[in-house]
Amino acid sequence: MSDIIAAIILGIVEGVTEFIPVSSTGHLILASALLKYDPAYWALFNIVIQLGAILAIVVLYWRTFWAVGMGLLRFDPTSVRFVRNLLVAFIPAAVLGVLLHKQIEALLGSPITVAVALIVGGFAILGIERFVREGNVKGVADIPLPKVVGIGLIQCLAMVPGVSRSGATILGALSLGVERRTAAEFSFFLAIPTMLGATVLELVSKRHELAAGNTVGFGLIAIGFVVAFLVALIVVRWFVGLVGRTGFSPFGWYRIGVGAIALFLLLK
Protein backbone atom coordinates (compact mmCIF):
# COMPACT_ATOMS: atom_id res chain seq x y z
CA MET A 1 0.00 0.00 0.00
CA SER A 2 1.42 3.40 -0.98
CA ASP A 3 2.01 6.10 1.61
CA ILE A 4 -0.54 8.34 -0.15
CA ILE A 5 -3.29 5.72 0.25
CA ALA A 6 -2.27 5.24 3.87
CA ALA A 7 -2.46 9.01 4.47
CA ILE A 8 -5.96 9.12 2.98
CA ILE A 9 -7.17 6.16 5.07
CA LEU A 10 -5.79 7.62 8.29
CA GLY A 11 -7.22 11.05 7.39
CA ILE A 12 -10.66 9.48 7.01
CA VAL A 13 -10.29 7.65 10.34
CA GLU A 14 -9.30 10.90 12.06
CA GLY A 15 -12.12 12.94 10.54
CA VAL A 16 -14.74 10.35 11.49
CA THR A 17 -13.57 9.73 15.05
CA GLU A 18 -12.11 13.01 16.43
CA PHE A 19 -15.34 14.48 17.81
CA ILE A 20 -17.36 11.40 18.65
CA PRO A 21 -16.62 9.55 21.92
CA VAL A 22 -14.73 6.62 20.40
CA SER A 23 -11.07 7.87 20.55
CA SER A 24 -9.52 9.15 17.34
CA THR A 25 -5.98 8.45 18.60
CA GLY A 26 -7.02 4.93 19.56
CA HIS A 27 -8.49 4.27 16.13
CA LEU A 28 -5.38 5.65 14.40
CA ILE A 29 -3.17 3.38 16.52
CA LEU A 30 -5.36 0.35 15.78
CA ALA A 31 -5.49 1.19 12.06
CA SER A 32 -1.70 1.47 11.97
CA ALA A 33 -1.29 -1.84 13.80
CA LEU A 34 -3.90 -3.82 11.84
CA LEU A 35 -2.70 -2.47 8.47
CA LYS A 36 0.94 -3.11 9.45
CA TYR A 37 2.04 0.53 9.32
CA ASP A 38 5.18 1.51 11.26
CA PRO A 39 3.74 3.35 14.30
CA ALA A 40 6.92 5.36 14.90
CA TYR A 41 6.98 6.57 11.28
CA TRP A 42 3.32 7.68 11.40
CA ALA A 43 3.26 9.04 14.98
CA LEU A 44 3.79 12.69 14.07
CA PHE A 45 1.31 12.40 11.19
CA ASN A 46 -1.38 11.04 13.52
CA ILE A 47 -1.02 14.02 15.86
CA VAL A 48 -0.77 16.83 13.31
CA ILE A 49 -3.70 15.77 11.10
CA GLN A 50 -5.96 16.27 14.10
CA LEU A 51 -5.62 19.98 13.35
CA GLY A 52 -7.54 19.34 10.13
CA ALA A 53 -10.48 18.11 12.17
CA ILE A 54 -10.07 21.08 14.52
CA LEU A 55 -10.26 23.46 11.55
CA ALA A 56 -13.66 21.95 10.74
CA ILE A 57 -14.93 23.17 14.12
CA VAL A 58 -13.62 26.67 13.43
CA VAL A 59 -15.44 26.70 10.09
CA LEU A 60 -18.71 25.23 11.40
CA TYR A 61 -18.84 27.51 14.46
CA TRP A 62 -17.24 30.62 12.99
CA ARG A 63 -20.23 32.76 13.99
CA THR A 64 -19.79 31.70 17.62
CA PHE A 65 -16.08 32.49 17.57
CA TRP A 66 -16.69 35.80 15.80
CA ALA A 67 -19.29 36.80 18.39
CA VAL A 68 -16.96 35.85 21.24
CA GLY A 69 -14.09 37.79 19.68
CA MET A 70 -16.19 40.89 19.21
CA GLY A 71 -17.54 40.49 22.74
CA LEU A 72 -14.03 40.36 24.19
CA LEU A 73 -13.25 43.72 22.61
CA ARG A 74 -16.20 45.13 24.57
CA PHE A 75 -15.34 43.11 27.70
CA ASP A 76 -18.72 41.42 27.41
CA PRO A 77 -19.16 39.16 30.49
CA THR A 78 -20.54 36.22 28.47
CA SER A 79 -17.60 36.25 26.05
CA VAL A 80 -15.13 36.57 28.92
CA ARG A 81 -16.67 33.57 30.70
CA PHE A 82 -16.64 31.56 27.43
CA VAL A 83 -12.89 32.06 26.99
CA ARG A 84 -12.20 31.65 30.71
CA ASN A 85 -13.97 28.29 30.77
CA LEU A 86 -11.99 26.96 27.81
CA LEU A 87 -8.66 28.09 29.24
CA VAL A 88 -9.37 26.75 32.74
CA ALA A 89 -10.46 23.36 31.37
CA PHE A 90 -7.36 23.24 29.16
CA ILE A 91 -4.79 23.86 31.92
CA PRO A 92 -4.78 20.39 33.62
CA ALA A 93 -4.16 18.56 30.32
CA ALA A 94 -1.51 21.10 29.31
CA VAL A 95 0.43 20.65 32.57
CA LEU A 96 0.22 16.85 32.63
CA GLY A 97 0.93 16.63 28.90
CA VAL A 98 4.28 18.35 29.39
CA LEU A 99 5.15 16.42 32.57
CA LEU A 100 4.16 12.98 31.26
CA HIS A 101 5.05 13.36 27.58
CA LYS A 102 7.46 10.39 27.46
CA GLN A 103 5.07 8.09 29.32
CA ILE A 104 2.22 9.08 26.99
CA GLU A 105 4.39 8.40 23.93
CA ALA A 106 5.13 4.92 25.28
CA LEU A 107 1.40 4.19 25.57
CA LEU A 108 0.83 5.41 21.98
CA GLY A 109 2.72 2.35 20.77
CA SER A 110 0.39 -0.09 22.56
CA PRO A 111 -2.65 -1.20 20.52
CA ILE A 112 -3.57 -3.66 23.30
CA THR A 113 -3.98 -0.70 25.69
CA VAL A 114 -6.24 0.97 23.12
CA ALA A 115 -8.47 -2.09 22.73
CA VAL A 116 -8.92 -2.51 26.48
CA ALA A 117 -9.60 1.23 26.96
CA LEU A 118 -12.23 1.15 24.20
CA ILE A 119 -14.09 -1.66 25.96
CA VAL A 120 -13.87 -0.08 29.43
CA GLY A 121 -14.93 3.29 28.04
CA GLY A 122 -17.86 1.71 26.24
CA PHE A 123 -19.23 0.30 29.49
CA ALA A 124 -18.64 3.69 31.15
CA ILE A 125 -20.77 5.40 28.49
CA LEU A 126 -23.59 2.89 28.94
CA GLY A 127 -23.44 3.30 32.72
CA ILE A 128 -23.55 7.10 32.61
CA GLU A 129 -26.37 7.10 30.07
CA ARG A 130 -28.39 4.77 32.27
CA PHE A 131 -27.79 6.19 35.74
CA VAL A 132 -26.95 9.90 35.31
CA ARG A 133 -29.86 12.26 34.69
CA GLU A 134 -29.32 15.01 32.12
CA GLY A 135 -28.44 18.34 33.72
CA ASN A 136 -29.84 21.77 33.03
CA VAL A 137 -26.66 23.81 32.51
CA LYS A 138 -26.93 25.26 28.99
CA GLY A 139 -24.34 27.33 27.18
CA VAL A 140 -20.54 27.03 27.40
CA ALA A 141 -20.26 30.44 29.09
CA ASP A 142 -22.79 29.41 31.75
CA ILE A 143 -20.93 26.35 33.04
CA PRO A 144 -19.90 27.19 36.65
CA LEU A 145 -16.17 27.38 37.27
CA PRO A 146 -15.99 24.36 39.66
CA LYS A 147 -17.64 22.19 37.00
CA VAL A 148 -15.19 23.53 34.39
CA VAL A 149 -12.27 22.50 36.61
CA GLY A 150 -13.82 19.05 37.01
CA ILE A 151 -14.22 18.64 33.25
CA GLY A 152 -10.61 19.71 32.72
CA LEU A 153 -9.38 17.12 35.22
CA ILE A 154 -11.53 14.39 33.66
CA GLN A 155 -10.14 15.25 30.22
CA CYS A 156 -6.72 14.15 31.49
CA LEU A 157 -7.95 10.54 31.44
CA ALA A 158 -7.78 10.78 27.65
CA MET A 159 -3.98 10.75 27.83
CA VAL A 160 -4.44 6.99 27.90
CA PRO A 161 -4.97 6.14 24.21
CA GLY A 162 -8.37 4.63 23.60
CA VAL A 163 -10.12 6.57 26.37
CA SER A 164 -11.19 9.40 23.97
CA ARG A 165 -10.69 13.09 24.67
CA SER A 166 -14.17 13.96 23.42
CA GLY A 167 -15.67 11.04 25.32
CA ALA A 168 -13.98 12.03 28.59
CA THR A 169 -15.02 15.69 28.34
CA ILE A 170 -18.58 14.99 27.17
CA LEU A 171 -19.29 12.31 29.77
CA GLY A 172 -17.52 14.34 32.45
CA ALA A 173 -19.73 17.32 31.63
CA LEU A 174 -22.87 15.17 31.66
CA SER A 175 -21.92 13.74 35.04
CA LEU A 176 -21.50 17.28 36.37
CA GLY A 177 -24.93 18.47 35.29
CA VAL A 178 -24.36 19.90 31.80
CA GLU A 179 -27.02 19.17 29.16
CA ARG A 180 -26.11 17.06 26.11
CA ARG A 181 -25.70 19.64 23.35
CA THR A 182 -23.67 22.00 25.54
CA ALA A 183 -21.48 19.08 26.69
CA ALA A 184 -20.77 18.15 23.07
CA GLU A 185 -20.06 21.73 21.99
CA PHE A 186 -17.81 22.38 24.98
CA SER A 187 -15.83 19.30 23.97
CA PHE A 188 -15.56 20.62 20.39
CA PHE A 189 -14.30 24.03 21.51
CA LEU A 190 -11.94 22.61 24.14
CA ALA A 191 -10.32 20.50 21.42
CA ILE A 192 -8.87 23.65 19.83
CA PRO A 193 -6.34 24.66 22.54
CA THR A 194 -5.80 21.03 23.57
CA MET A 195 -4.87 19.75 20.09
CA LEU A 196 -2.88 22.87 19.22
CA GLY A 197 -0.82 22.31 22.36
CA ALA A 198 -0.37 18.59 21.62
CA THR A 199 0.73 19.32 18.06
CA VAL A 200 3.31 21.93 19.11
CA LEU A 201 4.67 19.55 21.75
CA GLU A 202 4.89 16.72 19.20
CA LEU A 203 6.61 18.89 16.58
CA VAL A 204 9.20 20.00 19.11
CA SER A 205 9.85 16.46 20.33
CA LYS A 206 10.09 15.09 16.76
CA ARG A 207 12.19 17.93 15.29
CA HIS A 208 15.28 15.71 14.91
CA GLU A 209 13.31 12.91 13.24
CA LEU A 210 11.81 15.46 10.84
CA ALA A 211 15.24 16.81 9.95
CA ALA A 212 16.56 13.29 9.36
CA GLY A 213 13.53 12.19 7.32
CA ASN A 214 12.66 9.41 9.80
CA THR A 215 9.00 10.36 9.99
CA VAL A 216 6.19 11.22 7.58
CA GLY A 217 6.93 14.31 5.49
CA PHE A 218 4.83 17.45 5.19
CA GLY A 219 3.33 16.38 1.86
CA LEU A 220 1.62 13.33 3.37
CA ILE A 221 0.66 15.34 6.44
CA ALA A 222 -1.04 17.88 4.15
CA ILE A 223 -3.05 15.11 2.46
CA GLY A 224 -4.19 13.69 5.81
CA PHE A 225 -4.97 17.19 7.08
CA VAL A 226 -7.28 18.01 4.15
CA VAL A 227 -9.03 14.64 4.25
CA ALA A 228 -9.59 14.88 8.03
CA PHE A 229 -10.97 18.41 7.61
CA LEU A 230 -13.50 17.46 4.91
CA VAL A 231 -14.70 14.33 6.70
CA ALA A 232 -15.01 16.10 10.07
CA LEU A 233 -17.21 18.80 8.49
CA ILE A 234 -19.78 16.10 7.70
CA VAL A 235 -19.42 14.05 10.87
CA VAL A 236 -19.82 16.92 13.37
CA ARG A 237 -23.18 17.97 11.91
CA TRP A 238 -24.38 14.37 11.95
CA PHE A 239 -23.12 13.80 15.51
CA VAL A 240 -24.90 16.82 17.03
CA GLY A 241 -28.18 15.73 15.45
CA LEU A 242 -27.76 12.11 16.54
CA VAL A 243 -26.98 12.99 20.16
CA GLY A 244 -30.19 14.99 20.40
CA ARG A 245 -32.21 11.97 19.22
CA THR A 246 -30.52 8.91 20.73
CA GLY A 247 -27.96 10.04 23.30
CA PHE A 248 -24.51 8.43 23.52
CA SER A 249 -25.42 4.76 24.03
CA PRO A 250 -24.75 3.74 20.38
CA PHE A 251 -21.15 4.86 20.80
CA GLY A 252 -20.82 2.77 23.95
CA TRP A 253 -21.89 -0.37 22.11
CA TYR A 254 -19.65 0.55 19.17
CA ARG A 255 -16.61 0.91 21.45
CA ILE A 256 -17.24 -2.44 23.11
CA GLY A 257 -17.62 -4.17 19.73
CA VAL A 258 -14.55 -2.58 18.11
CA GLY A 259 -12.42 -3.09 21.20
CA ALA A 260 -13.37 -6.77 21.42
CA ILE A 261 -12.69 -7.38 17.73
CA ALA A 262 -9.36 -5.54 17.88
CA LEU A 263 -8.34 -7.47 20.99
CA PHE A 264 -9.15 -10.77 19.27
CA LEU A 265 -7.17 -9.85 16.13
CA LEU A 266 -4.20 -8.53 18.08
CA LEU A 267 -3.94 -11.54 20.41
CA LYS A 268 -4.64 -14.39 18.00
Side-chain angles (χ1 to χ4, degrees):
M1 182 183 297
S2 74
D3 281 354
I4 292 177
I5 300 284
I8 292 171
I9 290 174
L10 294 176
I12 292 171
V13 171
E14 166 59 26
V16 170
T17 60
E18 177 61 45
F19 297 109
I20 62 177
V22 298
S23 179
S24 61
T25 301
H27 277 71
L28 290 169
I29 292 170
L30 290 179
S32 298
L34 296 175
L35 296 173
K36 309 301 182 185
Y37 301 160
D38 179 358
Y41 181 71
W42 290 94
L44 178 64
F45 174 94
N46 287 346
I47 294 292
V48 177
I49 66 167
Q50 293 178 97
L51 294 182
I54 298 305
L55 181 59
I57 293 298
V58 175
V59 170
L60 288 170
Y61 287 91
W62 72 268
R63 290 183 179 84
T64 298
F65 294 120
W66 179 264
V68 169
M70 293 298 99
L72 286 176
L73 295 177
R74 303 188 307 271
F75 295 100
D76 173 66
T78 299
S79 296
V80 171
R81 290 198 308 272
F82 183 99
V83 174
R84 178 207 66 184
N85 284 355
L86 292 183
L87 292 178
V88 169
F90 164 67
I91 288 172
V95 173
L96 286 182
V98 172
L99 294 178
L100 302 177
H101 183 65
K102 291 184 178 180
Q103 292 85 345
I104 294 167
E105 277 202 329
L107 287 174
L108 291 176
S110 175
I112 298 293
T113 299
V114 171
V116 172
L118 282 172
I119 294 171
V120 173
F123 281 112
I125 289 174
L126 296 178
I128 289 174
E129 280 286 86
R130 181 174 179 83
F131 297 110
V132 175
R133 299 179 62 181
E134 184 172 3
N136 56 8
V137 177
K138 295 184 178 181
V140 170
D142 294 325
I143 302 175
L145 194 56
K147 295 182 186 293
V148 171
V149 173
I151 294 168
L153 292 172
I154 292 169
Q155 180 183 221
C156 294
L157 295 173
M159 292 179 182
V160 177
V163 169
S164 171
R165 186 206 58 80
S166 61
T169 53
I170 289 171
L171 296 175
L174 289 176
S175 300
L176 292 170
V178 180
E179 60 95 22
R180 293 179 190 279
R181 186 182 183 93
T182 298
E185 291 184 343
F186 187 62
S187 174
F188 298 162
F189 302 149
L190 184 56
I192 296 175
T194 301
M195 298 318 305
L196 281 173
T199 299
V200 170
L201 188 61
E202 192 70 12
L203 285 170
V204 170
S205 69
K206 293 287 192 299
R207 61 189 183 280
H208 300 303
E209 289 90 335
L210 273 171
N214 295 330
T215 188
V216 174
F218 287 111
L220 291 174
I221 289 174
I223 292 172
F225 182 99
V226 171
V227 172
F229 167 72
L230 294 174
V231 173
L233 281 175
I234 299 169
V235 171
V236 169
R237 290 184 180 277
W238 165 81
F239 176 62
V240 172
L242 180 68
V243 166
R245 296 191 303 271
T246 67
F248 296 99
S249 292
F251 300 104
W253 291 114
Y254 170 84
R255 288 177 62 110
I256 294 168
V258 169
I261 292 170
L263 206 55
F264 172 77
L265 294 174
L266 291 167
L267 294 177
K268 74 172 184 178

